[in-house]
Amino acid sequence: MARDSQAALVALNRFGFGARGGASGDLVNASSDPRGFVKAELSRANGVLLEAPGLQSTPELGQAVFAYQDQVKQAREAAKAAPPAETPPADQNSPLRRNLSLNAAAEITGQMADAKPAENTVRPEAMQPNAAPPAAKPAPQPLNVIQKTFRAEALARLQRATLVECGFTERLVAFWSNHFCISASKGELARIWAGAFEREAIRPHVLGRFADMLRAVEQHPAMLFFLDNQQSLGPDSRAGQNRKRGLNENLAREIMELHTLGVGGGYTQGDVTSLARIITGWTLAGRQGQLGVPGSFVFNTNAHQPGPQVLLGKTYDQAGLAQGEVALADLARHPSTASFIATKFVRHFVADEPPPALVARLRDVFVKTDGDLKALATALVDSEEAWKAPLTKLRSPYDFLVASGRLLARVPEDPGAYLNNLNLLGQPLWSPPGPNGFPDSNAAWGAPEGVKLRLDIAAQIGARLGNNIDPLDLLEFAAADAASAETRRTIERAESRQQALALLLMSPEMQRR
């Protein structure tokens, strides 16, 4: 049983989001056939798709943003046109007025961060002698359509990750979403589109072909907006000549460096420029809808650089949109792409230093199956290295928070706490610091300050839930007899249930995968 429990721990932690608490019996189910338990999710392709009431398509969301922006503009213009309201003279000695100003500022700051202010925050004026009673707290401002959409998308993703049996396919979604990342901090369109981008461009292809995912990603309005391709004009195109504006190489560079070939993948700056020319005209319809449905992907012939282009030694003489689509298909099948993807895949799931033999096998699978991502995932699960390598990878903040919620059997009804904690831990949802996504190494997430913040969050969870939970029971759900003797002794010797729960959440069984 000990060997089976250890394999079950690997199945749940390395490939999934950890065991669920309550009566789920995940560890028992996984221990009977660990490989089969993980691979079962790969046979449920529709289970990767995510649909929830209220989640809309990218064009619908784009039009919602355009309408919201128009409303804001009209309100500002109306405010400027209105005569100034008479205001009573300010009483400079009134602390009540000062308190109102501070409260309003705090309220605005909270709305901007999509976060609720802490209930027990001690305000500066409360520490002053003879302070007047605080002013009544202003009513919170309603969330706008962008904030509402982001939170609804986040909640749907978090609920799926919390409820799913193993979590392997959700881990695959998170991996590919980070590989082909955009950042919600780019602007209002990026923020409202972040969840839709993942639902539309990533999820349908997680168990499909890499080439199809690549095309869906690069033609998605969110990616085109994130990397400014709507600003890229062929120098010899009609639009380029009229506007005296030329190429923007951002998307072309990241396609080659981050999405396909990788650094050192055999391309030159000249290839980047050629690809940038090839994908000119790939854009999104604006609010006026002159090229298509506002917020949708369109090909603008007038912005496309005419004529053949040479990329990686091959001439692409196709006309229009087809030129870029053929070029992407070739990049997806390039040997450097196979090596880059296989290495990154193994680094994510197995070890910071990927076993070379496993990388080579996955690279060969990628090539032989024409980028079949289900075959790639299956080959990973079938490998001996993935089961024998020690659980040394530190969970990312997202993985840690989801694993904790699963073990505690707490299905989120509001995403606020998760979003706030992800911000605190340095992994804000769908908002990486750059187009290379969030890092995937112990060095990135194991820094002392990051570990301390995890401990603070674990302590808060322990203080809130510890009285009603037996941490030793949770340890059985999480690891059973695969738990180390040290972890068991540490929890047994805790001074309180609250402390024991915090220690469990910080244990190797919960922090490592």
Side-chain angles (χ1 to χ4, degrees), residues 8-345:
L9 191 67
V10 173
L12 284 160
N13 287 8
R14 168 154 290 153
F15 298 102
F17 282 120
R20 295 169 295 176
S24 62
D26 288 340
L27 201 73
V28 174
N29 294 337
S31 65
S32 60
D33 180 12
R35 279 183 171 83
F37 178 79
V38 176
K39 290 162 65 175
E41 286 192 356
L42 300 180
S43 63
R44 299 189 289 267
N46 289 337
V48 186
L49 303 178
L50 181 59
E51 297 178 357
L55 299 186
Q56 296 177 291
S57 69
T58 291
E60 290 172 328
L61 294 173
Q63 293 168 63
V65 170
F66 296 147
Y68 167 73
Q69 291 172 340
D70 289 342
Q71 292 171 2
V72 171
K73 181 180 179 181
Q74 292 170 6
R76 287 174 178 169
E77 291 174 348
K80 289 180 181 179
E86 294 186 7
T87 57
D91 182 355
Q92 300 297 329
N93 297 319
S94 171
L96 187 63
R97 184 175 182 81
R98 184 180 70 246
N99 289 346
L100 181 60
S101 175
L102 287 171
N103 283 336
E107 201 53 46
I108 292 171
T109 302
Q111 287 296 326
M112 290 176 62
D114 288 352
K116 298 178 181 178
E119 294 180 358
N120 298 322
T121 299
V122 179
R123 302 190 182 278
E125 62 271 20
M127 297 185 290
Q128 299 180 10
N130 303 318
K137 185 177 179 181
Q141 298 297 314
L143 297 177
N144 63 43
V145 65
I146 300 165
Q147 295 166 324
K148 285 181 179 178
T149 299
F150 186 86
R151 293 171 69 89
E153 296 277 6
L155 182 60
R157 192 202 216 227
L158 288 164
Q159 288 180 336
R160 167 66 65 81
T162 303
L163 291 169
V164 71
E165 185 174 10
C166 173
F168 187 32
T169 52
E170 286 302 298
R171 283 281 305 282
L172 291 171
V173 169
F175 170 83
W176 288 114
S177 186
N178 191 56
H179 178 78
F180 290 114
C181 71
I182 66 165
S183 177
S185 62
K186 170 78 173 185
E188 290 178 330
L189 280 174
R191 189 162 186 81
I192 203 171
W193 277 342
F197 169 72
E198 185 176 277
R199 286 188 290 109
E200 296 168 352
I202 302 295
R203 286 184 178 274
H205 308 290
V206 160
L207 301 180
R209 293 174 64 252
F210 178 79
D212 294 335
M213 185 187 291
L214 179 65
R215 183 175 63 181
V217 162
E218 311 306 353
Q219 291 183 346
H220 197 280
M223 182 62 75
L224 296 169
F225 175 78
F226 175 54
L227 292 174
D228 305 312
N229 209 66
Q230 79 280 9
Q231 300 176 11
S232 186
L233 303 177
D236 301 320
S237 68
R238 181 181 301 178
Q241 291 176 338
N242 292 340
R243 301 184 191 179
K244 307 300 181 184
R245 182 157 55 88
L247 291 176
N248 184 302
E249 297 183 351
N250 288 354
L251 179 58
R253 179 174 293 103
E254 307 311 356
I255 286 174
M256 302 183 82
E257 178 180 329
L258 300 176
H259 298 172
T260 57
L261 307 177
V263 176
Y267 65 93
T268 66
Q269 174 56 39
D271 291 316
V272 172
T273 302
S274 292
L275 182 58
R277 290 176 181 148
I278 287 172
I279 60 174
T280 48
W282 292 32
T283 187
L284 54 117
R287 66 178 67 234
Q288 302 302 325
Q290 294 175 341
L291 298 175
V293 177
S296 64
F297 168 74
V298 290
F299 177 74
N300 183 2
T301 304
N302 290 335
H304 182 65
Q305 176 69 14
Q309 300 294 329
V310 179
L311 175 65
L312 297 172
K314 178 178 177 178
T315 299
Y316 293 86
D317 55 10
Q318 293 84 1
L321 178 63
Q323 189 179 48
E325 291 183 335
V326 173
L328 282 186
D330 286 345
L331 287 171
R333 296 185 177 96
H334 196 281
S336 293
T337 299
S339 296
F340 180 56
I341 295 300
T343 302
K344 192 170 182 178
F345 203 65

Side-chain angles (χ1 to χ4, degrees), residues 365-377:
V365 168
F366 189 94
V367 171
K368 292 176 181 177
T369 64
D370 194 23
D372 185 327
L373 299 183
K374 180 178 179 180
L376 187 74

Side-chain angles (χ1 to χ4, degrees), residues 10 14-15 349-350 358 380-389:
V10 173
R14 168 154 290 153
F15 298 102
F349 280 101
V350 180
L358 179 55
L380 175 73
V381 178
D382 284 339
S383 71
E384 289 300 315
E385 293 94 331
W387 296 89
K388 291 182 178 179

